[in-house]
Amino acid sequence: MLFITLLAPKGKGEKAVRYLKELKAPNGITVRGVYFTLGRYDSVILFEAADAETAMRFTMEVGFETNYTVETLTAVSAKEI
């Protein structure tokens, strides 16, 4: 399953940016990319996980480590619909 996590800053500034730049995927997660953006969200993580429970554990860890507000979406390829 493919997921998109949107991150909005709340604290930790440079420390959070460094954490995201050095993000290491735990077992069961494949990070396809980490992007810094302008606008409502400052960062986006595109990743794969076998199921929603694994994805939720990963995004909770990212939220705790960065102190960012985290919103995660399930992504489905247009070809699959």
Side-chain angles (χ1 to χ4, degrees), residues 39-76:
R40 183 173 166 191
Y41 299 99
D42 281 359
S43 307
V44 176
I45 303 170
L46 180 63
F47 70 96
E48 291 180 60
D51 52 49
E53 183 179 332
T54 303
M56 184 168 42
R57 281 195 307 269
F58 175 62
T59 56
M60 287 175 63
E61 177 185 321
V62 169
F64 292 149
E65 290 295 326
T66 61
N67 198 31
Y68 277 26
T69 299
V70 177
E71 182 178 344
T72 301
L73 312 167
T74 303
V76 179

Side-chain angles (χ1 to χ4, degrees), residues 4-5 7 10 19 27 35 42 45 56 59 63 69 72 80:
I4 300 167
T5 295
L7 298 107
K10 291 189 328 184
Y19 172 83
N27 287 338
Y35 305 91
D42 281 359
I45 303 170
M56 184 168 42
T59 56
T69 299
T72 301
E80 294 179 42

